[in-house]
Amino acid sequence: MYVRPISGAAGHARRGGRLALAVGGLLLAVTACGGGGGSDAGSGSQDGKGKPSAQAAGGQSEAVVTIAPKDGATSVDTSGALKVGAAKGKLTEVVVKDDKGTAVAGTITADGSGWTPATHLAAATQYQVHAGAKDSAGRTAAEDSSFTTLTPDNTFIGTFTPEDGSTVGVGMPFSIRFTRGITHPEDVEKAIKVTTVPAVDVRGHWFGNDRLDFRPEQYWKAGTKVTVKLNLDGVEGREGVYGKQSKTVSFTVGRNQVSVVDAKKHTMKVMQEGKVVKTLKVTTGKPGYATWNGQMVISEKFTVTRMNGDTVGYDGEYDIKDVPHAMRLTGSGTFVHGNYWGGDAFGNYNASHGCIGLRDVRGGYDSGVPAAWFFDHSMVGDVVVVKNSTDPTVDPSNGLNGWNLSWAEWTK
């Protein structure tokens, strides 16, 4: 049989097919050469700097991330229990959030081997932890965990002054009293942060184990904005007793008013911004009942109040039910107040049981008397300084009177 040779387009097509196959094989070989070996060589890439990416490096990361406490743990301590670490690699991120989405601050160590929170954790709260690390080849590893902190059986809170949103005088400290005696004062003090505008160094001082006051070295500058963050929730104030407060308090310092009482001259010079605006005649404590010397801060104001000697150890000596224009200076009962029974004592001699008296009328209705003027021009936090009395300086813990401690004594 005669078979005609194939020629023309059909022949070219067949040869073209063989050429295409050959070229395809060459391309496959070139592609394979770009891989770097291994079964997944065809998926490699570079990071733009000539270094293989984590994916291109291939294999599982050698970095090992550890989180304590373990996933699902309950009744976890609020301090010291949360720790994140990395072995055979360095931590690159640690994110800890509570069940409300609030992040917990912390710092990765310089060598990348660990992370700890910057503060304690809140009680009875669930936390989520995500941590990532890289090994020396840049390959990543990550771990996630969650746990719940303990619910305390015993708690404490702090009652404080001044109130949130108030305007106070330049002598007003931030003073907080705790409902339980504190045996871990450093932990409690660390959980209270005071910031100011303009900025000033503010330090805390403990009076006993249940009171902590904060103040600057000198009186506040007029107009200062003070913010106090009480992050006491979860703080172990004493063994097995935890704080349960999380609150922000802000107050503003008003104009500068400092009044100086001279117990010998029987006068009070009222100064605003360092200038005398009024001089008032006063009477102070008589012999045997002298008024304390020193710097005292107005802590309360009463339009009318009752003063009973029985409450301060002067049994039966007086009981005045309607003392007008009264402002407290000490916890032990020293006031600057209106006096309608003092006769001609004002400016002439000392006749009180330790208080500073200003002329007034019964009922306090006359706005023109000295006591009413001083009451109307004073605010909580104003300073009253007494000098030339025969009594010692007031105890700094008696009222809000820590200004009677030097800065070195306050901060030690």
PDB file of all heavy atoms in Angstrom, residues 83 94 138 156 201 292 302 306 350 396 409:
ATOM      1  N   LYS A  83       2.275  35.331  83.940  1.00  0.00           N
ATOM      2  CA  LYS A  83       3.613  35.430  83.361  1.00  0.00           C
ATOM      3  C   LYS A  83       3.593  34.828  81.960  1.00  0.00           C
ATOM      4  O   LYS A  83       2.956  33.801  81.731  1.00  0.00           O
ATOM      5  CB  LYS A  83       4.644  34.699  84.211  1.00  0.00           C
ATOM      6  CG  LYS A  83       4.821  35.276  85.604  1.00  0.00           C
ATOM      7  CD  LYS A  83       5.827  34.478  86.415  1.00  0.00           C
ATOM      8  CE  LYS A  83       5.975  35.058  87.825  1.00  0.00           C
ATOM      9  NZ  LYS A  83       6.948  34.258  88.632  1.00  0.00           N
ATOM     10  N   VAL A  94       2.485  40.599  73.198  1.00  0.00           N
ATOM     11  CA  VAL A  94       1.676  40.030  74.271  1.00  0.00           C
ATOM     12  C   VAL A  94       0.479  40.944  74.455  1.00  0.00           C
ATOM     13  O   VAL A  94       0.645  42.145  74.713  1.00  0.00           O
ATOM     14  CB  VAL A  94       2.456  39.906  75.593  1.00  0.00           C
ATOM     15  CG1 VAL A  94       1.543  39.368  76.690  1.00  0.00           C
ATOM     16  CG2 VAL A  94       3.680  39.017  75.431  1.00  0.00           C
ATOM     17  N   GLY A 138      13.119  33.619  62.043  1.00  0.00           N
ATOM     18  CA  GLY A 138      11.988  34.491  61.766  1.00  0.00           C
ATOM     19  C   GLY A 138      10.663  33.771  61.706  1.00  0.00           C
ATOM     20  O   GLY A 138       9.652  34.372  61.341  1.00  0.00           O
ATOM     21  N   PHE A 156     -11.876  45.583 101.086  1.00  0.00           N
ATOM     22  CA  PHE A 156     -11.796  46.903 101.703  1.00  0.00           C
ATOM     23  C   PHE A 156     -12.040  47.963 100.635  1.00  0.00           C
ATOM     24  O   PHE A 156     -11.863  47.717  99.434  1.00  0.00           O
ATOM     25  CB  PHE A 156     -10.437  47.137 102.381  1.00  0.00           C
ATOM     26  CG  PHE A 156      -9.294  47.331 101.423  1.00  0.00           C
ATOM     27  CD1 PHE A 156      -8.950  48.594 100.955  1.00  0.00           C
ATOM     28  CD2 PHE A 156      -8.549  46.241 100.975  1.00  0.00           C
ATOM     29  CE1 PHE A 156      -7.902  48.774 100.066  1.00  0.00           C
ATOM     30  CE2 PHE A 156      -7.491  46.420 100.093  1.00  0.00           C
ATOM     31  CZ  PHE A 156      -7.167  47.687  99.638  1.00  0.00           C
ATOM     32  N   ASP A 201       5.372  67.354  91.386  1.00  0.00           N
ATOM     33  CA  ASP A 201       5.678  66.113  92.093  1.00  0.00           C
ATOM     34  C   ASP A 201       4.738  65.975  93.291  1.00  0.00           C
ATOM     35  O   ASP A 201       4.702  66.843  94.173  1.00  0.00           O
ATOM     36  CB  ASP A 201       7.132  66.133  92.556  1.00  0.00           C
ATOM     37  CG  ASP A 201       7.579  64.819  93.172  1.00  0.00           C
ATOM     38  OD1 ASP A 201       6.906  63.789  92.937  1.00  0.00           O
ATOM     39  OD2 ASP A 201       8.608  64.811  93.885  1.00  0.00           O
ATOM     40  N   TRP A 292      -3.946  75.401 119.006  1.00  0.00           N
ATOM     41  CA  TRP A 292      -2.747  74.823 118.405  1.00  0.00           C
ATOM     42  C   TRP A 292      -2.028  75.851 117.532  1.00  0.00           C
ATOM     43  O   TRP A 292      -2.666  76.635 116.838  1.00  0.00           O
ATOM     44  CB  TRP A 292      -3.097  73.631 117.502  1.00  0.00           C
ATOM     45  CG  TRP A 292      -3.771  72.472 118.157  1.00  0.00           C
ATOM     46  CD1 TRP A 292      -5.074  72.087 117.996  1.00  0.00           C
ATOM     47  CD2 TRP A 292      -3.180  71.521 119.037  1.00  0.00           C
ATOM     48  NE1 TRP A 292      -5.342  70.961 118.731  1.00  0.00           N
ATOM     49  CE2 TRP A 292      -4.184  70.577 119.383  1.00  0.00           C
ATOM     50  CE3 TRP A 292      -1.908  71.364 119.585  1.00  0.00           C
ATOM     51  CZ2 TRP A 292      -3.952  69.507 120.239  1.00  0.00           C
ATOM     52  CZ3 TRP A 292      -1.675  70.283 120.439  1.00  0.00           C
ATOM     53  CH2 TRP A 292      -2.681  69.379 120.755  1.00  0.00           C
ATOM     54  N   PHE A 302     -19.945  74.651 108.121  1.00  0.00           N
ATOM     55  CA  PHE A 302     -21.311  74.530 108.617  1.00  0.00           C
ATOM     56  C   PHE A 302     -21.881  75.923 108.835  1.00  0.00           C
ATOM     57  O   PHE A 302     -21.301  76.725 109.577  1.00  0.00           O
ATOM     58  CB  PHE A 302     -21.356  73.761 109.937  1.00  0.00           C
ATOM     59  CG  PHE A 302     -20.732  72.392 109.886  1.00  0.00           C
ATOM     60  CD1 PHE A 302     -19.411  72.205 110.261  1.00  0.00           C
ATOM     61  CD2 PHE A 302     -21.456  71.304 109.437  1.00  0.00           C
ATOM     62  CE1 PHE A 302     -18.828  70.950 110.222  1.00  0.00           C
ATOM     63  CE2 PHE A 302     -20.889  70.040 109.387  1.00  0.00           C
ATOM     64  CZ  PHE A 302     -19.565  69.859 109.780  1.00  0.00           C
ATOM     65  N   ARG A 306     -23.830  72.538 116.306  1.00  0.00           N
ATOM     66  CA  ARG A 306     -23.823  72.442 117.770  1.00  0.00           C
ATOM     67  C   ARG A 306     -22.418  72.111 118.247  1.00  0.00           C
ATOM     68  O   ARG A 306     -21.733  71.267 117.656  1.00  0.00           O
ATOM     69  CB  ARG A 306     -24.797  71.354 118.226  1.00  0.00           C
ATOM     70  CG  ARG A 306     -24.812  71.132 119.735  1.00  0.00           C
ATOM     71  CD  ARG A 306     -25.774  70.023 120.112  1.00  0.00           C
ATOM     72  NE  ARG A 306     -25.795  69.793 121.561  1.00  0.00           N
ATOM     73  CZ  ARG A 306     -26.540  68.858 122.151  1.00  0.00           C
ATOM     74  NH1 ARG A 306     -27.326  68.065 121.407  1.00  0.00           N
ATOM     75  NH2 ARG A 306     -26.511  68.708 123.466  1.00  0.00           N
ATOM     76  N   ASN A 350      -7.819  86.487 124.800  1.00  0.00           N
ATOM     77  CA  ASN A 350      -8.199  85.138 124.373  1.00  0.00           C
ATOM     78  C   ASN A 350      -9.162  84.524 125.380  1.00  0.00           C
ATOM     79  O   ASN A 350      -8.874  84.478 126.586  1.00  0.00           O
ATOM     80  CB  ASN A 350      -6.954  84.260 124.210  1.00  0.00           C
ATOM     81  CG  ASN A 350      -6.083  84.729 123.057  1.00  0.00           C
ATOM     82  OD1 ASN A 350      -6.596  85.177 122.034  1.00  0.00           O
ATOM     83  ND2 ASN A 350      -4.765  84.658 123.227  1.00  0.00           N
ATOM     84  N   PRO A 396       0.335  66.555 112.777  1.00  0.00           N
ATOM     85  CA  PRO A 396       0.007  66.522 111.342  1.00  0.00           C
ATOM     86  C   PRO A 396      -1.158  65.597 110.983  1.00  0.00           C
ATOM     87  O   PRO A 396      -1.817  65.812 109.961  1.00  0.00           O
ATOM     88  CB  PRO A 396       1.312  66.035 110.702  1.00  0.00           C
ATOM     89  CG  PRO A 396       2.370  66.420 111.668  1.00  0.00           C
ATOM     90  CD  PRO A 396       1.751  66.258 113.025  1.00  0.00           C
ATOM     91  N   GLU A 409      10.397  64.768 105.874  1.00  0.00           N
ATOM     92  CA  GLU A 409       9.609  63.910 106.769  1.00  0.00           C
ATOM     93  C   GLU A 409       8.438  63.283 106.030  1.00  0.00           C
ATOM     94  O   GLU A 409       8.071  62.130 106.274  1.00  0.00           O
ATOM     95  CB  GLU A 409       9.103  64.731 107.952  1.00  0.00           C
ATOM     96  CG  GLU A 409      10.188  65.214 108.894  1.00  0.00           C
ATOM     97  CD  GLU A 409       9.663  66.208 109.921  1.00  0.00           C
ATOM     98  OE1 GLU A 409       8.854  67.090 109.557  1.00  0.00           O
ATOM     99  OE2 GLU A 409      10.086  66.100 111.086  1.00  0.00           O
TER     100      GLU A 409
END
